[in-house]
Amino acid sequence: MKVKGALDYFVIATIFILVVFQECVNGRTFLHSIPRPHPDDAANFARWLVSQSSWGVLNTISSDWGGAPFGNVVSFSDGLPDKGKGIPYFYLTTLDPTARNALKDQRSSLTLSEYSLGTCGKSDPENPTCSKITLIGKLKLVYGNSKEAEFARTALFVKHPEMKGWPKSHNFEVFKLEIENIFMINWFGGPKPLTVDQYLHAKM
Amino acid sequence: MKVKGALDYFVIATIFILVVFQECVNGRTFLHSIPRPHPDDAANFARWLVSQSSWGVLNTISSDWGGAPFGNVVSFSDGLPDKGKGIPYFYLTTLDPTARNALKDQRSSLTLSEYSLGTCGKSDPENPTCSKITLIGKLKLVYGNSKEAEFARTALFVKHPEMKGWPKSHNFEVFKLEIENIFMINWFGGPKPLTVDQYLHAKM
């Protein structure tokens, strides 16, 4: 009886582990190849947060809704896995308001939360120790046959394989955020001072 | 021997389940008490997505950065767990740009992704079947001694227990998003037609 009970548990536990673990991995990036930098190392921390994230909220000025700030959930990539360059690239269609807005007014920002990475432990998403970053700048179309567009498509398709198969008829195009200011909170004491130059030249 | 091996597994499996499961729960809401409505049921689907979410990106017009749309990661609550009323309440301090911006220009939006709930399976966050919602409206201060502020504080503190202990010196205040337009994509075929009235009167 004891053996039978224990073996039943063996089977049930194995199925449960597989289900739960699969769920975790599907739901968000669960394992990180680059360790979390120290919060004081602002440039590397910011680059880590951007390169480890796969999606965020991209903001534009809405022409449809009286100039309201319009946030939209988008996938992005700043390079090949663990080889991010810090500049976020997007794959957008003008069927969506975000791309249409950007073509009229390039002012934009991209916002990411460390909470999505699952590395905030028990901290609330609004707790300053659960880091967040907003890259503020101009959202620009990258012309399709440029070297940069080629780099961006590779960076995007490797991190978001299904993009490659998205309908041709939707005319998806590569956009990039040209960063002008960085707002990052990753500890107590307010936003970390960080210039775009420090961010782009961080040694990951 | 068989019994011992099985019992060892029993202990190891139990610890592993507890660790992995805890990780999942910390990382994001993992168990949902209200089942995901059918995507065609736009009003209930929107209310489900808002009530099940605990954080999002709150967008304002930035007075610091030339009127750029500024997204900020915030926690919110629309009511007690599974008793959400659809109106998102926030706990903000003017030490943070978002509250300062709202007091100068109330135009705002709140953006949420179902990806954070872990119910998008293998879909990419930008795939229309992984739902997303943007509530567009005015971000307004709720006066501290009103009945509404009392309701909001309870709604916030139950879902975000640590808020109650946040520093008094930061003068956190309750804000709410007065919704004027709703942009939701939860399937193919573009945004779902959904009025604010349909959203607010949905029978959850």
Side-chain angles (χ1 to χ4, degrees), chain B residues 98-154:
Chain B
T98 301
R100 289 200 303 271
N101 292 343
L103 294 174
K104 290 182 193 156
D105 184 337
Q106 296 184 324
R107 288 177 297 174
S108 179
S109 70
L110 174 67
T111 306
L112 314 175
S113 170
E114 184 187 357
Y115 204 77
S116 308
L117 302 182
T119 48
C120 286
K122 289 183 168 54
S123 296
D124 188 86
E126 200 174 307
N127 185 304
T129 64
C130 183
S131 67
K132 56 183 180 179
I133 191 166
T134 300
L135 304 171
I136 302 121
K138 303 276 188 288
L139 186 57
K140 297 187 170 179
L141 178 70
V142 179
Y143 291 99
N145 46 19
S146 62
K147 270 214 154 51
E148 186 177 18
E150 207 174 292
F151 167 84
R153 276 189 297 267
T154 309

Side-chain angles (χ1 to χ4, degrees), chain B residues 4-63:
Chain B
K4 197 188 168 308
L7 290 180
D8 291 347
Y9 185 88
F10 181 109
V11 176
I12 294 160
T14 308
I15 293 164
F16 188 79
I17 286 172
L18 291 174
V19 170
V20 172
F21 198 77
Q22 190 54 36
E23 262 309 301
C24 296
V25 176
N26 287 346
R28 60 200 162 88
T29 313
F30 186 68
L31 299 164
H32 307 292
S33 31
I34 297 177
R36 187 185 197 262
H38 190 285
D40 292 343
D41 184 359
N44 277 317
F45 196 101
R47 289 287 296 276
W48 171 80
L49 187 50
V50 170
S51 73
Q52 297 297 305
S53 301
S54 67
W55 67 279
V57 173
L58 183 59
N59 312 302
T60 52
I61 298 286
S62 164
S63 46

Side-chain angles (χ1 to χ4, degrees), chain A:
Chain A
M1 269 311 282
K2 237 186 183 168
V3 181
K4 197 189 168 303
L7 290 181
D8 290 347
Y9 185 89
F10 182 109
V11 176
I12 294 159
T14 307
I15 293 164
F16 188 79
I17 287 172
L18 290 174
V19 171
V20 171
F21 198 74
Q22 190 54 36
E23 265 306 302
C24 295
V25 176
N26 287 346
R28 60 204 163 84
T29 312
F30 191 68
L31 301 163
H32 306 291
S33 34
I34 296 178
R36 187 184 197 261
H38 190 284
D40 292 343
D41 184 0
N44 277 316
F45 196 101
R47 289 286 297 276
W48 171 79
L49 187 50
V50 170
S51 73
Q52 296 297 304
S53 301
S54 67
W55 67 278
V57 172
L58 183 58
N59 265 280
T60 50
I61 299 286
S62 163
S63 45
D64 306 350
W65 293 298
F70 176 72
N72 201 355
V73 175
V74 296
S75 294
F76 75 94
S77 176
D78 74 330
L80 294 173
D82 305 332
K83 295 202 169 84
K85 302 259 183 285
I87 300 164
Y89 291 97
F90 310 92
Y91 203 47
L92 306 174
T93 161
T94 50
L95 293 173
D96 207 63
T98 302
R100 288 199 304 270
N101 292 342
L103 294 174
K104 288 182 193 155
D105 185 337
Q106 297 185 323
R107 288 177 297 173
S108 179
S109 72
L110 174 68
T111 305
L112 315 175
S113 170
E114 185 187 357
Y115 204 76
S116 308
L117 303 183
T119 48
C120 287
K122 289 182 168 58
S123 297
D124 188 86
E126 200 174 309
N127 184 302
T129 65
C130 183
S131 66
K132 56 184 179 178
I133 191 166
T134 301
L135 304 171
I136 302 120
K138 303 277 188 288
L139 186 56
K140 297 187 170 178
L141 178 68
V142 179
Y143 291 97
N145 46 16
S146 63
K147 270 212 154 53
E148 186 176 18
E150 206 176 294
F151 167 85
R153 277 191 296 268
T154 309
L156 284 160
F157 296 166
V158 168
K159 284 191 179 173
H160 305 280
E162 70 171 66
M163 280 184 174
K164 219 171 172 167
W166 286 353
K168 292 265 168 294
S169 60
H170 288 197
N171 301 310
F172 280 92
E173 299 253 30
V174 173
F175 285 73
K176 76 166 165 183
L177 185 67
E178 222 164 70
I179 307 166
E180 295 170 348
N181 292 286
I182 300 170
F183 174 88
M184 178 176 74
I185 291 181
N186 67 355
W187 194 249
F188 303 102
K192 281 280 193 309
L194 176 60
T195 68
V196 176
D197 197 61
Q198 289 166 335
Y199 169 82
L200 290 176
H201 295 93
K203 304 231 173 325
M204 287 294 276

